[in-house]
Amino acid sequence: MKTHENGYILEWIDLLVSQILNPLTEEFESLTAEWLKAIYPRIKQESRRLQLLITQQVFSAKKPARRDFIVQRYHSTLTLLLSQLIHYQNDEQFKHRDLKDILARLQQCIQDVLYYIENRYAAHLSHEEQISALHFESLQLEFAKDISYLKAKFLEYSHPALKIVFKILDRFIAAAYEDHKVTYRAVSYKKALIKGLKELQFNSMEDGQLPEIDRLLIYLNFNSKTYIGHLITSFSEKITALNHSEDGIRALRFHFKTFRQIQPKPGLKFNPLYYDIDTVVSNWFQQELDFYKEFTHHSPLLDTPRPDSDVSRPSAPRTKILCNLSTDQIALILRSADEAKVLQARSLNEIFKTIVPFLSTPRKEELSSHGVRSRMYNVEENDKTIAIDALERMIEKIKSY
């Protein structure tokens, strides 16, 4: 098989992996032990041959964009071929000694070339390029040591944010390569996160200051939906204690200012498919400020009642209606009802303020409109599924009437 230096240099190994060793092809059915052993020397030479040809093509390219294209094309193709070989391992036919041996030799060959590309031409690889299986395994070992060190370091420091971070890192080191597409961007972020945690110092905090772990995660734009939900809830709990007073607005502005003083590192983001942490949390603060301003403007609770007035008398207990949904799911349904114009009021705040106090959930007897409304900014996919299921059950009931 003739391969030109400027042509498709992966032709031989691509054909071998994609066609000849593919259990679904006719070529696979005609394989013999003698033929498999006959190509052992070629596989051994292929790694070195490909490294030399890739180097020649990269250096012969005159434009940087062309060099990037060459490196990324071969890296992505080799990564795909390696994934195919890993997939073949699960096939019973590859349990045969000769096929198992050829598979191992090909994997090593491709891994050697990928290692060469990743070390020599890392600057030409895209951030969205998938890392190789060999790189993935080495990172898992490296991160496992780092996480063990960090868990020992934070043994006496309990914080919900740490549990969220460690859960994500533990999931990475336990993952199987074929089940996850891990990009260079994701690896770069995790390295920055681990480095930040290693350097984190615990200093005494002044009143109102954010804990060091939160300051680090905001700086690193750790826009995990779970973490954003935790952060919003922690702010909400501090403000709810002030019972919708003028102090509430002052506290909101103070915490908003404290949050905005932490400038996220440019170009860094945990989840590239979700909003920046600054965008989501700032939007929540703005919504809360609007709510408090409206509440303090319209609510008679801020007027000082006369001692003999009816307002000063204890009110009768409010009748509660049990809602078999969580607060997150209630928030999601009320928000959708407002945006779909099923419910109409002066504002979304008024809908929550009017309805939520009359509800309870299986887990919570007393619900605050403020607390429930804060949950709508960070709804998990599972909550969406449950809310949709509840609405679909209602639809079926309506159809049966």
Side-chain angles (χ1 to χ4, degrees), residues 36 49 83 106 120 134 140 157 177 180 239 277 292 304 332 378 388 395:
L36 291 172
R49 187 186 77 87
S83 297
L106 278 170
R120 183 157 184 174
L134 183 65
Q140 285 183 310
Y157 184 75
Y177 177 76
H180 292 77
I239 297 160
I277 191 170
Y292 267 82
T304 304
L332 184 62
N378 188 47
I388 291 170
I395 291 170

Side-chain angles (χ1 to χ4, degrees), residues 14 17-18 22 79-89:
D14 192 341
V17 174
S18 303
N22 188 335
T79 300
L80 181 62
L81 293 175
L82 184 59
S83 297
Q84 283 184 264
L85 291 175
I86 293 171
H87 178 71
Y88 291 163
Q89 287 178 334

Side-chain angles (χ1 to χ4, degrees), residues 218 221 223 228 232 256 259-260 264 269 274-287 377:
I218 294 168
N221 196 8
N223 63 333
I228 291 176
I232 288 175
F256 193 11
F259 171 77
R260 292 302 299 272
K269 182 187 286 193
Y274 194 56
Y275 303 106
D276 289 347
I277 191 170
D278 179 69
T279 301
V280 180
V281 179
S282 293
N283 181 56
W284 176 82
F285 270 115
Q286 195 56 58
Q287 293 280 349
Y377 297 100

Side-chain angles (χ1 to χ4, degrees), residues 183-199:
T183 64
Y184 282 92
R185 183 189 298 278
V187 171
S188 177
Y189 185 89
K190 287 180 175 63
K191 286 186 175 182
L193 177 60
I194 289 172
K195 181 175 182 290
L197 290 170
K198 284 182 175 180
E199 296 173 351

Side-chain angles (χ1 to χ4, degrees), residues 81-143:
L81 293 175
L82 184 59
S83 297
Q84 283 184 264
L85 291 175
I86 293 171
H87 178 71
Y88 291 163
Q89 287 178 334
N90 299 322
D91 194 301
E92 283 298 321
Q93 297 178 84
F94 281 91
K95 304 298 181 185
H96 188 277
R97 181 178 176 180
D98 292 326
L99 287 171
K100 189 176 181 180
D101 190 32
I102 201 79
L103 215 59
R105 290 169 184 262
L106 278 170
Q107 284 185 3
Q108 188 60 55
C109 171
I110 294 175
Q111 286 177 345
D112 288 345
V113 181
L114 283 170
Y115 183 80
Y116 175 78
I117 292 173
E118 290 169 350
N119 278 271
R120 183 157 184 174
Y121 302 111
H124 296 284
L125 291 170
S126 165
H127 288 302
E128 304 309 323
E129 194 82 24
Q130 183 178 3
I131 66 172
S132 66
L134 183 65
H135 193 177
F136 181 74
E137 291 173 3
S138 66
L139 283 171
Q140 285 183 310
L141 293 173
E142 177 188 336
F143 287 174

